[in-house]
Amino acid sequence: MSIARLMQVAAAGNVPSGPVWTDPDLANASYDSVSFSVAGQDSAPSSVVFKPDGLKMYVSGSTSDAVYQYTLSTAWDVSTSSYDSVSFSVSGQAGQPYIQFGDNGSKLYVSDNTSDAIYQYSLSSAWDISTASYDSVSFSVSGQDTVPQGMFFKPDGTKLYLVGFLNDSVFQYSLSTAWDLSSISYDSVSFSFLTQETQGRSLFFSPDGTKLFVVGTYSDTTYQYSLSTGWDISTASYDSVSFSVASQETAPLGLFFKSDGSKMYVVGSGTDTIYQYSTA
């Protein structure tokens, strides 16, 4: 987050309580030679998400259509990960799941390209997926793309962004009630990343919504974009900045950044492994 943006946030009486985000230097990113295999749980991992403190990690897999939970003894260091022997099946709804958490870990969302829909779950104990249950709430995105992949929520839960594999685009949605998928509607706003990537899989935004990152399996690369208006995907443009992960993973499906922007994590089905990179 820029100094000017920090001053705006402070003036609004909303000084961040967590780590301050600094936009990643993706062009000069480097592999940490740190990784963690999840093959013991699923041989086709599709997405990875971390708890904001970096002490919990969650991976979705399409072999068993489940979400798996891990603990990191050292925050954000995936080499210290261990499986909690805790999982949650979404096979009743999704066949090829991508996951995202919301509402401080009390909500779980799963996108599925077999049913072209997003599903909503509640966790009675935040960040503990053993307490998850289906809310019987879903939303079809087939009007935008019939092969939905990764998704990302604006931090206040009022916007959702989805990668469409078929149309090589990011689609933008609004929720009139934060975190309630039953209140969602399409903004009729999208952004094509076709010139860079023809097989987009996952995306990630900076906390102020002015930076967007997309990873894909055609070029095995993460691409960086800027939004002149935060969270308005129609204002996105390519920064001509990218970083290849092909030396580690030739089928990258999931993407995540540390809460301060200094680390990047990629998971893929080529090696069933999470890889850690430095981006500061």
Side-chain angles (χ1 to χ4, degrees):
M1 185 181 293
S2 66
I3 297 298
R5 176 58 181 154
L6 282 173
M7 292 174 66
Q8 291 173 357
V9 171
N14 253 338
V15 177
S17 58
V20 175
W21 170 277
T22 300
D23 286 337
D25 182 9
L26 193 64
N28 294 300
S30 59
Y31 177 44
D32 287 349
S33 297
V34 171
S35 64
F36 176 74
S37 174
V38 297
Q41 289 73 59
D42 202 288
S43 59
S46 52
S47 58
V48 59
V49 174
F50 287 80
K51 187 180 176 184
D53 62 8
L55 293 172
K56 289 287 185 183
M57 179 175 73
Y58 307 84
V59 175
S60 63
S62 56
T63 299
S64 54
D65 307 324
V67 183
Y68 303 91
Q69 179 178 307
Y70 304 81
T71 293
L72 289 77
S73 57
T74 300
W76 302 106
D77 181 351
V78 296
S79 70
T80 70
S81 302
S82 60
Y83 180 43
D84 287 348
S85 297
V86 172
S87 63
F88 175 68
S89 174
V90 295
S91 61
Q93 293 79 46
Q96 295 184 10
Y98 282 77
I99 61 170
Q100 190 62 249
F101 284 84
D103 202 11
N104 297 313
S106 64
K107 291 290 184 183
L108 170 68
Y109 304 87
V110 175
S111 63
D112 171 42
N113 63 27
T114 60
S115 61
D116 313 328
I118 303 171
Y119 300 90
Q120 177 181 306
Y121 305 79
S122 289
L123 287 75
S124 56
S125 180
W127 302 108
D128 181 356
I129 61 170
S130 70
T131 69
S133 60
Y134 180 42
D135 288 346
S136 297
V137 173
S138 64
F139 175 71
S140 173
V141 296
S142 61
Q144 290 75 60
D145 202 290
T146 55
V147 191
Q149 305 284 288
M151 59 188 157
F152 193 93
F153 276 89
K154 186 179 178 183
D156 64 4
T158 63
K159 292 285 185 182
L160 172 68
Y161 304 84
L162 178 75
V163 170
F165 181 86
L166 185 65
N167 294 313
D168 308 310
S169 295
V170 177
F171 299 95
Q172 178 180 308
Y173 305 83
S174 290
L175 291 80
S176 57
T177 301
W179 307 114
D180 182 358
L181 205 58
S182 67
S183 72
I184 196 170
S185 60
Y186 178 45
D187 288 349
S188 297
V189 173
S190 64
F191 172 72
S192 173
F193 49 76
L194 177 61
T195 304
Q196 290 78 51
E197 177 61 63
T198 60
Q199 297 178 8
R201 300 293 187 171
S202 285
L203 75 169
F204 194 95
F205 280 88
S206 62
D208 63 1
T210 62
K211 289 291 182 182
L212 165 67
F213 304 89
V214 174
V215 72
T217 51
Y218 180 78
S219 59
D220 311 323
T221 295
T222 301
Y223 297 93
Q224 177 182 305
Y225 305 83
S226 288
L227 287 74
S228 56
T229 300
W231 303 109
D232 181 354
I233 198 69
S234 70
T235 70
S237 60
Y238 180 43
D239 289 344
S240 297
V241 173
S242 63
F243 177 76
S244 173
V245 298
S247 295
Q248 292 77 49
E249 177 58 68
T250 56
L253 299 177
L255 175 70
F256 202 87
F257 283 83
K258 185 179 176 181
S259 53
D260 64 2
S262 66
K263 297 288 182 181
M264 180 177 76
Y265 305 85
V266 170
V267 68
S269 59
T271 60
D272 314 324
T273 295
I274 300 163
Y275 295 96
Q276 177 180 309
Y277 304 82
S278 287
T279 55

